[in-house]
Amino acid sequence: MMNHNQAKKATQQLTERYGGDIKTGTISRINAALSSLPPHLKEATSLYKKLTQFDALIAPMTETDRKRLIPLEQWKISSRDRSRLQELMEKHSFTETNLHNIYQEITWDASADAKATNADIAGNKMKGDLQNRITKACSIAVETVTKANVEGGKGKLLDVGCGHGSIVPSLVGLPLDSYVGIDLSKEMIKNAIQRYGDEKNKLGRGRVFVSDDFLTHDFSVYVEPNEKDTAAAVAASDGVFEAVIFCSSLHDLPDMESCIGKAVSVLRSGGALVVVHAQGAMHVLGQHQSNPVMVQRGLPTTTEWMEMICDHGEWKVTLEVEPADPRTERDENDGYLAVLRKL
């Protein structure tokens, strides 16, 4: 952790990089990036934001309340906007997932320096119980990897939405053979490499950070070199990682169910899928309500996990640790932790 003088200097330098105020500077960076998009994407992202906010507004309403509270003109505007967005997507061959990712990438690129530097100032640890919840989740993931090492395998951990490498300090000292962190934000990955890149690797044989879309990334490249000739086949049949962890990231990804399916597909048999949010499910619901463009929904409840597992028999997983539901004492006391085990 930085001493007082180091922290003061780092804060001053960070504030200067953001033009005198970090919050205002972040917003300015986001707006500048959105304004620099090609005209069709600039229009599409604006429409996507308006429609997502409108849909989030009416989602909890009954049909009666919608008719009573939403003016007819607003419905007409929404319908025109929806038609125009569909027209743009068909003409330029992109999807709402692409638009969601544009907002995610631009926002996290804009805030990457601030989040990474503030983490440095705080000693790369959350406060009290919050850090304990992260450490517990990391231990569960690494325990699965360790078992693979003991049994003669070469265990790997995948950190999805790794940001600036926020959980890496929680992994130091744990017997981890290989780590891959993936994030959509190039700036987050740049900060991660600066802090925890290969030359600073104290965890084991390998640590890799990559900036890419989790849903489309080819994870077969992480199959061991002696298996390279059949890497894709090996990955498809046996998986790649002993553990996959989403630490405060699953709710940021588009199409949550598809992301879970992708994570399961790269897991080896017996592997663990760990989803953790130290501040809990209720905190994520609050984020969704305040910014549905970035956070499309809350984290899955136990009931929703069981329904997804039932609907997707091809996943071949069981829910080993049930998460606390929002608005419960357990969620407030323990945060959110779900663990799936691949059969």
Side-chain angles (χ1 to χ4, degrees), residues 156 158 180 182 212 214 216-241 262 265-268:
K156 302 179 184 69
L158 174 63
V180 176
I182 185 169
D212 203 359
F214 168 65
T216 60
H217 188 68
D218 178 12
F219 287 99
S220 69
V221 298
Y222 306 109
V223 173
E224 288 302 306
N226 63 341
E227 300 170 344
K228 273 295 180 182
D229 290 342
T230 57
V234 170
S237 62
D238 299 331
V240 181
F241 300 95
K262 173 81 171 188
S265 74
V266 299
L267 267 181
R268 291 186 183 276

PDB file of all heavy atoms in Angstrom, residues 156 158 180 182 212 214 216-241 262 265-268:
ATOM      1  N   LYS A 156      -5.810 -24.442 -15.098  1.00  0.00           N
ATOM      2  CA  LYS A 156      -5.887 -23.069 -15.585  1.00  0.00           C
ATOM      3  C   LYS A 156      -7.127 -22.392 -15.000  1.00  0.00           C
ATOM      4  O   LYS A 156      -8.188 -23.012 -14.875  1.00  0.00           O
ATOM      5  CB  LYS A 156      -5.968 -23.034 -17.116  1.00  0.00           C
ATOM      6  CG  LYS A 156      -4.801 -23.699 -17.839  1.00  0.00           C
ATOM      7  CD  LYS A 156      -5.019 -23.608 -19.351  1.00  0.00           C
ATOM      8  CE  LYS A 156      -3.922 -24.342 -20.113  1.00  0.00           C
ATOM      9  NZ  LYS A 156      -4.004 -25.797 -19.937  1.00  0.00           N
ATOM     10  N   LEU A 158      -9.654 -18.997 -15.581  1.00  0.00           N
ATOM     11  CA  LEU A 158     -10.083 -17.915 -16.464  1.00  0.00           C
ATOM     12  C   LEU A 158     -10.838 -16.874 -15.641  1.00  0.00           C
ATOM     13  O   LEU A 158     -11.803 -17.201 -14.952  1.00  0.00           O
ATOM     14  CB  LEU A 158     -10.986 -18.454 -17.575  1.00  0.00           C
ATOM     15  CG  LEU A 158     -11.638 -17.407 -18.490  1.00  0.00           C
ATOM     16  CD1 LEU A 158     -10.575 -16.624 -19.260  1.00  0.00           C
ATOM     17  CD2 LEU A 158     -12.633 -18.061 -19.442  1.00  0.00           C
ATOM     18  N   VAL A 180      -5.600 -16.750 -17.002  1.00  0.00           N
ATOM     19  CA  VAL A 180      -5.943 -15.952 -18.172  1.00  0.00           C
ATOM     20  C   VAL A 180      -7.011 -14.951 -17.747  1.00  0.00           C
ATOM     21  O   VAL A 180      -8.060 -15.332 -17.220  1.00  0.00           O
ATOM     22  CB  VAL A 180      -6.478 -16.821 -19.334  1.00  0.00           C
ATOM     23  CG1 VAL A 180      -6.911 -15.930 -20.501  1.00  0.00           C
ATOM     24  CG2 VAL A 180      -5.419 -17.822 -19.789  1.00  0.00           C
ATOM     25  N   ILE A 182      -9.487 -11.904 -19.207  1.00  0.00           N
ATOM     26  CA  ILE A 182     -10.026 -11.322 -20.439  1.00  0.00           C
ATOM     27  C   ILE A 182     -10.966 -10.174 -20.107  1.00  0.00           C
ATOM     28  O   ILE A 182     -11.742 -10.251 -19.150  1.00  0.00           O
ATOM     29  CB  ILE A 182     -10.749 -12.393 -21.294  1.00  0.00           C
ATOM     30  CG1 ILE A 182     -11.193 -11.794 -22.644  1.00  0.00           C
ATOM     31  CG2 ILE A 182     -11.926 -13.009 -20.557  1.00  0.00           C
ATOM     32  CD1 ILE A 182     -11.672 -12.835 -23.651  1.00  0.00           C
ATOM     33  N   ASP A 212     -10.556  -8.652 -25.470  1.00  0.00           N
ATOM     34  CA  ASP A 212     -11.393  -9.237 -26.514  1.00  0.00           C
ATOM     35  C   ASP A 212     -12.809  -9.426 -25.974  1.00  0.00           C
ATOM     36  O   ASP A 212     -13.060  -9.297 -24.771  1.00  0.00           O
ATOM     37  CB  ASP A 212     -10.817 -10.574 -26.985  1.00  0.00           C
ATOM     38  CG  ASP A 212     -11.275 -10.969 -28.389  1.00  0.00           C
ATOM     39  OD1 ASP A 212     -12.057 -10.206 -28.989  1.00  0.00           O
ATOM     40  OD2 ASP A 212     -10.859 -12.030 -28.877  1.00  0.00           O
ATOM     41  N   PHE A 214     -15.559 -11.700 -24.811  1.00  0.00           N
ATOM     42  CA  PHE A 214     -15.595 -13.025 -24.195  1.00  0.00           C
ATOM     43  C   PHE A 214     -16.411 -14.014 -25.022  1.00  0.00           C
ATOM     44  O   PHE A 214     -16.020 -15.174 -25.185  1.00  0.00           O
ATOM     45  CB  PHE A 214     -16.168 -12.916 -22.778  1.00  0.00           C
ATOM     46  CG  PHE A 214     -16.517 -14.236 -22.148  1.00  0.00           C
ATOM     47  CD1 PHE A 214     -15.518 -15.156 -21.860  1.00  0.00           C
ATOM     48  CD2 PHE A 214     -17.835 -14.554 -21.845  1.00  0.00           C
ATOM     49  CE1 PHE A 214     -15.830 -16.393 -21.273  1.00  0.00           C
ATOM     50  CE2 PHE A 214     -18.156 -15.771 -21.261  1.00  0.00           C
ATOM     51  CZ  PHE A 214     -17.157 -16.695 -20.978  1.00  0.00           C
ATOM     52  N   THR A 216     -16.953 -14.240 -28.193  1.00  0.00           N
ATOM     53  CA  THR A 216     -16.413 -14.648 -29.495  1.00  0.00           C
ATOM     54  C   THR A 216     -14.954 -15.086 -29.435  1.00  0.00           C
ATOM     55  O   THR A 216     -14.410 -15.574 -30.427  1.00  0.00           O
ATOM     56  CB  THR A 216     -16.532 -13.495 -30.516  1.00  0.00           C
ATOM     57  OG1 THR A 216     -15.800 -12.357 -30.041  1.00  0.00           O
ATOM     58  CG2 THR A 216     -17.993 -13.106 -30.707  1.00  0.00           C
ATOM     59  N   HIS A 217     -14.294 -14.939 -28.293  1.00  0.00           N
ATOM     60  CA  HIS A 217     -12.872 -15.268 -28.185  1.00  0.00           C
ATOM     61  C   HIS A 217     -12.640 -16.771 -28.345  1.00  0.00           C
ATOM     62  O   HIS A 217     -13.405 -17.593 -27.852  1.00  0.00           O
ATOM     63  CB  HIS A 217     -12.336 -14.812 -26.829  1.00  0.00           C
ATOM     64  CG  HIS A 217     -10.852 -14.938 -26.691  1.00  0.00           C
ATOM     65  ND1 HIS A 217      -9.971 -14.157 -27.404  1.00  0.00           N
ATOM     66  CD2 HIS A 217     -10.082 -15.769 -25.939  1.00  0.00           C
ATOM     67  CE1 HIS A 217      -8.732 -14.479 -27.086  1.00  0.00           C
ATOM     68  NE2 HIS A 217      -8.777 -15.461 -26.209  1.00  0.00           N
ATOM     69  N   ASP A 218     -11.559 -17.116 -29.032  1.00  0.00           N
ATOM     70  CA  ASP A 218     -11.182 -18.518 -29.239  1.00  0.00           C
ATOM     71  C   ASP A 218     -10.272 -18.967 -28.101  1.00  0.00           C
ATOM     72  O   ASP A 218      -9.080 -18.659 -28.083  1.00  0.00           O
ATOM     73  CB  ASP A 218     -10.474 -18.675 -30.586  1.00  0.00           C
ATOM     74  CG  ASP A 218     -10.011 -20.110 -30.834  1.00  0.00           C
ATOM     75  OD1 ASP A 218     -10.436 -21.018 -30.086  1.00  0.00           O
ATOM     76  OD2 ASP A 218      -9.211 -20.318 -31.770  1.00  0.00           O
ATOM     77  N   PHE A 219     -10.829 -19.716 -27.164  1.00  0.00           N
ATOM     78  CA  PHE A 219     -10.062 -20.131 -25.988  1.00  0.00           C
ATOM     79  C   PHE A 219      -9.229 -21.385 -26.243  1.00  0.00           C
ATOM     80  O   PHE A 219      -8.455 -21.797 -25.368  1.00  0.00           O
ATOM     81  CB  PHE A 219     -10.995 -20.349 -24.794  1.00  0.00           C
ATOM     82  CG  PHE A 219     -11.521 -19.062 -24.224  1.00  0.00           C
ATOM     83  CD1 PHE A 219     -12.781 -18.605 -24.566  1.00  0.00           C
ATOM     84  CD2 PHE A 219     -10.746 -18.296 -23.373  1.00  0.00           C
ATOM     85  CE1 PHE A 219     -13.269 -17.410 -24.056  1.00  0.00           C
ATOM     86  CE2 PHE A 219     -11.218 -17.099 -22.856  1.00  0.00           C
ATOM     87  CZ  PHE A 219     -12.485 -16.656 -23.194  1.00  0.00           C
ATOM     88  N   SER A 220      -9.358 -21.976 -27.412  1.00  0.00           N
ATOM     89  CA  SER A 220      -8.547 -23.165 -27.704  1.00  0.00           C
ATOM     90  C   SER A 220      -7.064 -22.820 -27.784  1.00  0.00           C
ATOM     91  O   SER A 220      -6.209 -23.707 -27.691  1.00  0.00           O
ATOM     92  CB  SER A 220      -9.001 -23.818 -29.012  1.00  0.00           C
ATOM     93  OG  SER A 220      -8.690 -23.009 -30.130  1.00  0.00           O
ATOM     94  N   VAL A 221      -6.728 -21.524 -27.952  1.00  0.00           N
ATOM     95  CA  VAL A 221      -5.318 -21.127 -28.023  1.00  0.00           C
ATOM     96  C   VAL A 221      -4.605 -21.369 -26.699  1.00  0.00           C
ATOM     97  O   VAL A 221      -3.371 -21.355 -26.651  1.00  0.00           O
ATOM     98  CB  VAL A 221      -5.167 -19.645 -28.432  1.00  0.00           C
ATOM     99  CG1 VAL A 221      -5.746 -19.410 -29.810  1.00  0.00           C
ATOM    100  CG2 VAL A 221      -5.816 -18.710 -27.403  1.00  0.00           C
ATOM    101  N   TYR A 222      -5.359 -21.611 -25.622  1.00  0.00           N
ATOM    102  CA  TYR A 222      -4.729 -21.827 -24.319  1.00  0.00           C
ATOM    103  C   TYR A 222      -4.560 -23.304 -23.991  1.00  0.00           C
ATOM    104  O   TYR A 222      -4.134 -23.655 -22.893  1.00  0.00           O
ATOM    105  CB  TYR A 222      -5.555 -21.139 -23.218  1.00  0.00           C
ATOM    106  CG  TYR A 222      -5.777 -19.677 -23.525  1.00  0.00           C
ATOM    107  CD1 TYR A 222      -7.028 -19.205 -23.889  1.00  0.00           C
ATOM    108  CD2 TYR A 222      -4.710 -18.778 -23.512  1.00  0.00           C
ATOM    109  CE1 TYR A 222      -7.228 -17.875 -24.215  1.00  0.00           C
ATOM    110  CE2 TYR A 222      -4.900 -17.449 -23.829  1.00  0.00           C
ATOM    111  CZ  TYR A 222      -6.155 -17.002 -24.188  1.00  0.00           C
ATOM    112  OH  TYR A 222      -6.340 -15.681 -24.523  1.00  0.00           O
ATOM    113  N   VAL A 223      -4.879 -24.156 -24.962  1.00  0.00           N
ATOM    114  CA  VAL A 223      -4.589 -25.572 -24.793  1.00  0.00           C
ATOM    115  C   VAL A 223      -3.086 -25.757 -24.857  1.00  0.00           C
ATOM    116  O   VAL A 223      -2.384 -25.048 -25.589  1.00  0.00           O
ATOM    117  CB  VAL A 223      -5.305 -26.401 -25.892  1.00  0.00           C
ATOM    118  CG1 VAL A 223      -4.877 -27.861 -25.836  1.00  0.00           C
ATOM    119  CG2 VAL A 223      -6.812 -26.277 -25.733  1.00  0.00           C
ATOM    120  N   GLU A 224      -2.552 -26.693 -24.106  1.00  0.00           N
ATOM    121  CA  GLU A 224      -1.103 -26.881 -23.999  1.00  0.00           C
ATOM    122  C   GLU A 224      -0.450 -27.106 -25.373  1.00  0.00           C
ATOM    123  O   GLU A 224      -1.044 -27.735 -26.248  1.00  0.00           O
ATOM    124  CB  GLU A 224      -0.788 -28.067 -23.093  1.00  0.00           C
ATOM    125  CG  GLU A 224      -1.070 -27.783 -21.624  1.00  0.00           C
ATOM    126  CD  GLU A 224      -0.298 -26.599 -21.100  1.00  0.00           C
ATOM    127  OE1 GLU A 224       0.943 -26.578 -21.234  1.00  0.00           O
ATOM    128  OE2 GLU A 224      -0.934 -25.673 -20.561  1.00  0.00           O
ATOM    129  N   PRO A 225       0.792 -26.565 -25.574  1.00  0.00           N
ATOM    130  CA  PRO A 225       1.470 -26.646 -26.876  1.00  0.00           C
ATOM    131  C   PRO A 225       1.547 -28.037 -27.463  1.00  0.00           C
ATOM    132  O   PRO A 225       1.429 -28.213 -28.669  1.00  0.00           O
ATOM    133  CB  PRO A 225       2.872 -26.107 -26.563  1.00  0.00           C
ATOM    134  CG  PRO A 225       2.657 -25.196 -25.401  1.00  0.00           C
ATOM    135  CD  PRO A 225       1.575 -25.829 -24.584  1.00  0.00           C
ATOM    136  N   ASN A 226       1.751 -29.051 -26.624  1.00  0.00           N
ATOM    137  CA  ASN A 226       1.881 -30.408 -27.163  1.00  0.00           C
ATOM    138  C   ASN A 226       0.542 -30.937 -27.692  1.00  0.00           C
ATOM    139  O   ASN A 226       0.484 -32.000 -28.291  1.00  0.00           O
ATOM    140  CB  ASN A 226       2.446 -31.368 -26.126  1.00  0.00           C
ATOM    141  CG  ASN A 226       1.545 -31.517 -24.917  1.00  0.00           C
ATOM    142  OD1 ASN A 226       0.691 -30.680 -24.661  1.00  0.00           O
ATOM    143  ND2 ASN A 226       1.732 -32.598 -24.177  1.00  0.00           N
ATOM    144  N   GLU A 227      -0.516 -30.179 -27.447  1.00  0.00           N
ATOM    145  CA  GLU A 227      -1.820 -30.567 -27.962  1.00  0.00           C
ATOM    146  C   GLU A 227      -2.254 -29.651 -29.111  1.00  0.00           C
ATOM    147  O   GLU A 227      -3.371 -29.727 -29.577  1.00  0.00           O
ATOM    148  CB  GLU A 227      -2.865 -30.502 -26.841  1.00  0.00           C
ATOM    149  CG  GLU A 227      -2.566 -31.425 -25.668  1.00  0.00           C
ATOM    150  CD  GLU A 227      -3.489 -31.132 -24.487  1.00  0.00           C
ATOM    151  OE1 GLU A 227      -4.125 -30.060 -24.475  1.00  0.00           O
ATOM    152  OE2 GLU A 227      -3.575 -31.970 -23.589  1.00  0.00           O
ATOM    153  N   LYS A 228      -1.371 -28.781 -29.572  1.00  0.00           N
ATOM    154  CA  LYS A 228      -1.753 -27.734 -30.509  1.00  0.00           C
ATOM    155  C   LYS A 228      -2.378 -28.263 -31.800  1.00  0.00           C
ATOM    156  O   LYS A 228      -3.269 -27.623 -32.363  1.00  0.00           O
ATOM    157  CB  LYS A 228      -0.547 -26.855 -30.866  1.00  0.00           C
ATOM    158  CG  LYS A 228      -0.337 -25.706 -29.911  1.00  0.00           C
ATOM    159  CD  LYS A 228      -1.506 -24.725 -29.995  1.00  0.00           C
ATOM    160  CE  LYS A 228      -1.293 -23.573 -29.022  1.00  0.00           C
ATOM    161  NZ  LYS A 228      -2.455 -22.637 -29.074  1.00  0.00           N
ATOM    162  N   ASP A 229      -1.912 -29.381 -32.280  1.00  0.00           N
ATOM    163  CA  ASP A 229      -2.443 -29.889 -33.540  1.00  0.00           C
ATOM    164  C   ASP A 229      -3.938 -30.164 -33.457  1.00  0.00           C
ATOM    165  O   ASP A 229      -4.655 -30.131 -34.452  1.00  0.00           O
ATOM    166  CB  ASP A 229      -1.703 -31.170 -33.957  1.00  0.00           C
ATOM    167  CG  ASP A 229      -0.271 -30.874 -34.370  1.00  0.00           C
ATOM    168  OD1 ASP A 229       0.026 -29.695 -34.667  1.00  0.00           O
ATOM    169  OD2 ASP A 229       0.531 -31.821 -34.390  1.00  0.00           O
ATOM    170  N   THR A 230      -4.380 -30.460 -32.277  1.00  0.00           N
ATOM    171  CA  THR A 230      -5.796 -30.758 -32.085  1.00  0.00           C
ATOM    172  C   THR A 230      -6.397 -29.826 -31.033  1.00  0.00           C
ATOM    173  O   THR A 230      -7.307 -30.196 -30.320  1.00  0.00           O
ATOM    174  CB  THR A 230      -5.990 -32.221 -31.642  1.00  0.00           C
ATOM    175  OG1 THR A 230      -5.239 -32.443 -30.438  1.00  0.00           O
ATOM    176  CG2 THR A 230      -5.526 -33.179 -32.720  1.00  0.00           C
ATOM    177  N   ALA A 231      -5.871 -28.610 -30.963  1.00  0.00           N
ATOM    178  CA  ALA A 231      -6.290 -27.682 -29.905  1.00  0.00           C
ATOM    179  C   ALA A 231      -7.793 -27.436 -29.919  1.00  0.00           C
ATOM    180  O   ALA A 231      -8.457 -27.506 -28.884  1.00  0.00           O
ATOM    181  CB  ALA A 231      -5.540 -26.357 -30.055  1.00  0.00           C
ATOM    182  N   ALA A 232      -8.339 -27.143 -31.098  1.00  0.00           N
ATOM    183  CA  ALA A 232      -9.770 -26.845 -31.183  1.00  0.00           C
ATOM    184  C   ALA A 232     -10.602 -28.051 -30.776  1.00  0.00           C
ATOM    185  O   ALA A 232     -11.594 -27.929 -30.058  1.00  0.00           O
ATOM    186  CB  ALA A 232     -10.128 -26.400 -32.600  1.00  0.00           C
ATOM    187  N   ALA A 233     -10.160 -29.241 -31.218  1.00  0.00           N
ATOM    188  CA  ALA A 233     -10.901 -30.458 -30.890  1.00  0.00           C
ATOM    189  C   ALA A 233     -10.823 -30.756 -29.394  1.00  0.00           C
ATOM    190  O   ALA A 233     -11.814 -31.148 -28.773  1.00  0.00           O
ATOM    191  CB  ALA A 233     -10.346 -31.634 -31.691  1.00  0.00           C
ATOM    192  N   VAL A 234      -9.638 -30.560 -28.834  1.00  0.00           N
ATOM    193  CA  VAL A 234      -9.457 -30.794 -27.404  1.00  0.00           C
ATOM    194  C   VAL A 234     -10.328 -29.835 -26.601  1.00  0.00           C
ATOM    195  O   VAL A 234     -11.014 -30.227 -25.645  1.00  0.00           O
ATOM    196  CB  VAL A 234      -7.970 -30.627 -26.997  1.00  0.00           C
ATOM    197  CG1 VAL A 234      -7.817 -30.633 -25.486  1.00  0.00           C
ATOM    198  CG2 VAL A 234      -7.141 -31.741 -27.603  1.00  0.00           C
ATOM    199  N   ALA A 235     -10.310 -28.567 -26.987  1.00  0.00           N
ATOM    200  CA  ALA A 235     -11.103 -27.566 -26.272  1.00  0.00           C
ATOM    201  C   ALA A 235     -12.589 -27.881 -26.351  1.00  0.00           C
ATOM    202  O   ALA A 235     -13.325 -27.735 -25.382  1.00  0.00           O
ATOM    203  CB  ALA A 235     -10.820 -26.176 -26.846  1.00  0.00           C
ATOM    204  N   ALA A 236     -13.021 -28.324 -27.538  1.00  0.00           N
ATOM    205  CA  ALA A 236     -14.441 -28.608 -27.732  1.00  0.00           C
ATOM    206  C   ALA A 236     -14.891 -29.825 -26.939  1.00  0.00           C
ATOM    207  O   ALA A 236     -16.002 -29.857 -26.393  1.00  0.00           O
ATOM    208  CB  ALA A 236     -14.731 -28.812 -29.213  1.00  0.00           C
ATOM    209  N   SER A 237     -14.040 -30.822 -26.841  1.00  0.00           N
ATOM    210  CA  SER A 237     -14.452 -32.068 -26.178  1.00  0.00           C
ATOM    211  C   SER A 237     -14.151 -32.085 -24.688  1.00  0.00           C
ATOM    212  O   SER A 237     -14.933 -32.621 -23.903  1.00  0.00           O
ATOM    213  CB  SER A 237     -13.763 -33.264 -26.850  1.00  0.00           C
ATOM    214  OG  SER A 237     -12.351 -33.158 -26.717  1.00  0.00           O
ATOM    215  N   ASP A 238     -13.030 -31.494 -24.296  1.00  0.00           N
ATOM    216  CA  ASP A 238     -12.581 -31.598 -22.906  1.00  0.00           C
ATOM    217  C   ASP A 238     -12.581 -30.269 -22.156  1.00  0.00           C
ATOM    218  O   ASP A 238     -12.297 -30.239 -20.961  1.00  0.00           O
ATOM    219  CB  ASP A 238     -11.162 -32.182 -22.856  1.00  0.00           C
ATOM    220  CG  ASP A 238     -11.091 -33.589 -23.442  1.00  0.00           C
ATOM    221  OD1 ASP A 238     -12.110 -34.288 -23.356  1.00  0.00           O
ATOM    222  OD2 ASP A 238     -10.043 -33.961 -23.972  1.00  0.00           O
ATOM    223  N   GLY A 239     -12.850 -29.166 -22.858  1.00  0.00           N
ATOM    224  CA  GLY A 239     -12.763 -27.875 -22.200  1.00  0.00           C
ATOM    225  C   GLY A 239     -11.331 -27.393 -22.103  1.00  0.00           C
ATOM    226  O   GLY A 239     -10.393 -28.049 -22.570  1.00  0.00           O
ATOM    227  N   VAL A 240     -11.145 -26.237 -21.481  1.00  0.00           N
ATOM    228  CA  VAL A 240      -9.819 -25.624 -21.408  1.00  0.00           C
ATOM    229  C   VAL A 240      -9.403 -25.311 -19.970  1.00  0.00           C
ATOM    230  O   VAL A 240      -8.252 -25.518 -19.592  1.00  0.00           O
ATOM    231  CB  VAL A 240      -9.795 -24.313 -22.232  1.00  0.00           C
ATOM    232  CG1 VAL A 240      -8.408 -23.669 -22.195  1.00  0.00           C
ATOM    233  CG2 VAL A 240     -10.220 -24.563 -23.673  1.00  0.00           C
ATOM    234  N   PHE A 241     -10.364 -24.846 -19.170  1.00  0.00           N
ATOM    235  CA  PHE A 241     -10.044 -24.341 -17.831  1.00  0.00           C
ATOM    236  C   PHE A 241     -10.662 -25.209 -16.731  1.00  0.00           C
ATOM    237  O   PHE A 241     -11.749 -25.751 -16.886  1.00  0.00           O
ATOM    238  CB  PHE A 241     -10.565 -22.907 -17.670  1.00  0.00           C
ATOM    239  CG  PHE A 241      -9.979 -21.937 -18.656  1.00  0.00           C
ATOM    240  CD1 PHE A 241     -10.646 -21.644 -19.843  1.00  0.00           C
ATOM    241  CD2 PHE A 241      -8.766 -21.323 -18.406  1.00  0.00           C
ATOM    242  CE1 PHE A 241     -10.108 -20.758 -20.763  1.00  0.00           C
ATOM    243  CE2 PHE A 241      -8.218 -20.431 -19.320  1.00  0.00           C
ATOM    244  CZ  PHE A 241      -8.890 -20.149 -20.503  1.00  0.00           C
ATOM    245  N   LYS A 262     -21.230 -19.992 -22.516  1.00  0.00           N
ATOM    246  CA  LYS A 262     -19.854 -19.934 -23.029  1.00  0.00           C
ATOM    247  C   LYS A 262     -18.871 -20.358 -21.941  1.00  0.00           C
ATOM    248  O   LYS A 262     -17.929 -21.130 -22.196  1.00  0.00           O
ATOM    249  CB  LYS A 262     -19.542 -18.514 -23.490  1.00  0.00           C
ATOM    250  CG  LYS A 262     -18.091 -18.267 -23.889  1.00  0.00           C
ATOM    251  CD  LYS A 262     -17.772 -18.738 -25.274  1.00  0.00           C
ATOM    252  CE  LYS A 262     -16.389 -18.278 -25.717  1.00  0.00           C
ATOM    253  NZ  LYS A 262     -16.112 -18.550 -27.111  1.00  0.00           N
ATOM    254  N   SER A 265     -18.890 -23.992 -21.461  1.00  0.00           N
ATOM    255  CA  SER A 265     -18.304 -24.712 -22.597  1.00  0.00           C
ATOM    256  C   SER A 265     -16.783 -24.792 -22.522  1.00  0.00           C
ATOM    257  O   SER A 265     -16.191 -25.709 -23.103  1.00  0.00           O
ATOM    258  CB  SER A 265     -18.723 -24.051 -23.914  1.00  0.00           C
ATOM    259  OG  SER A 265     -18.038 -22.825 -24.128  1.00  0.00           O
ATOM    260  N   VAL A 266     -16.142 -23.829 -21.863  1.00  0.00           N
ATOM    261  CA  VAL A 266     -14.678 -23.861 -21.771  1.00  0.00           C
ATOM    262  C   VAL A 266     -14.196 -24.510 -20.475  1.00  0.00           C
ATOM    263  O   VAL A 266     -12.995 -24.609 -20.235  1.00  0.00           O
ATOM    264  CB  VAL A 266     -14.061 -22.448 -21.921  1.00  0.00           C
ATOM    265  CG1 VAL A 266     -14.414 -21.857 -23.276  1.00  0.00           C
ATOM    266  CG2 VAL A 266     -14.494 -21.514 -20.792  1.00  0.00           C
ATOM    267  N   LEU A 267     -15.140 -24.960 -19.648  1.00  0.00           N
ATOM    268  CA  LEU A 267     -14.780 -25.670 -18.412  1.00  0.00           C
ATOM    269  C   LEU A 267     -14.495 -27.132 -18.677  1.00  0.00           C
ATOM    270  O   LEU A 267     -15.181 -27.786 -19.468  1.00  0.00           O
ATOM    271  CB  LEU A 267     -15.926 -25.582 -17.402  1.00  0.00           C
ATOM    272  CG  LEU A 267     -15.942 -24.467 -16.369  1.00  0.00           C
ATOM    273  CD1 LEU A 267     -17.174 -24.628 -15.480  1.00  0.00           C
ATOM    274  CD2 LEU A 267     -14.682 -24.436 -15.532  1.00  0.00           C
ATOM    275  N   ARG A 268     -13.503 -27.649 -17.995  1.00  0.00           N
ATOM    276  CA  ARG A 268     -13.249 -29.083 -18.032  1.00  0.00           C
ATOM    277  C   ARG A 268     -14.207 -29.797 -17.082  1.00  0.00           C
ATOM    278  O   ARG A 268     -14.780 -29.187 -16.178  1.00  0.00           O
ATOM    279  CB  ARG A 268     -11.804 -29.383 -17.617  1.00  0.00           C
ATOM    280  CG  ARG A 268     -10.756 -28.921 -18.636  1.00  0.00           C
ATOM    281  CD  ARG A 268      -9.378 -29.390 -18.223  1.00  0.00           C
ATOM    282  NE  ARG A 268      -8.328 -28.917 -19.104  1.00  0.00           N
ATOM    283  CZ  ARG A 268      -7.977 -29.498 -20.249  1.00  0.00           C
ATOM    284  NH1 ARG A 268      -8.612 -30.573 -20.660  1.00  0.00           N
ATOM    285  NH2 ARG A 268      -6.995 -29.007 -20.988  1.00  0.00           N
TER     286      ARG A 268
END
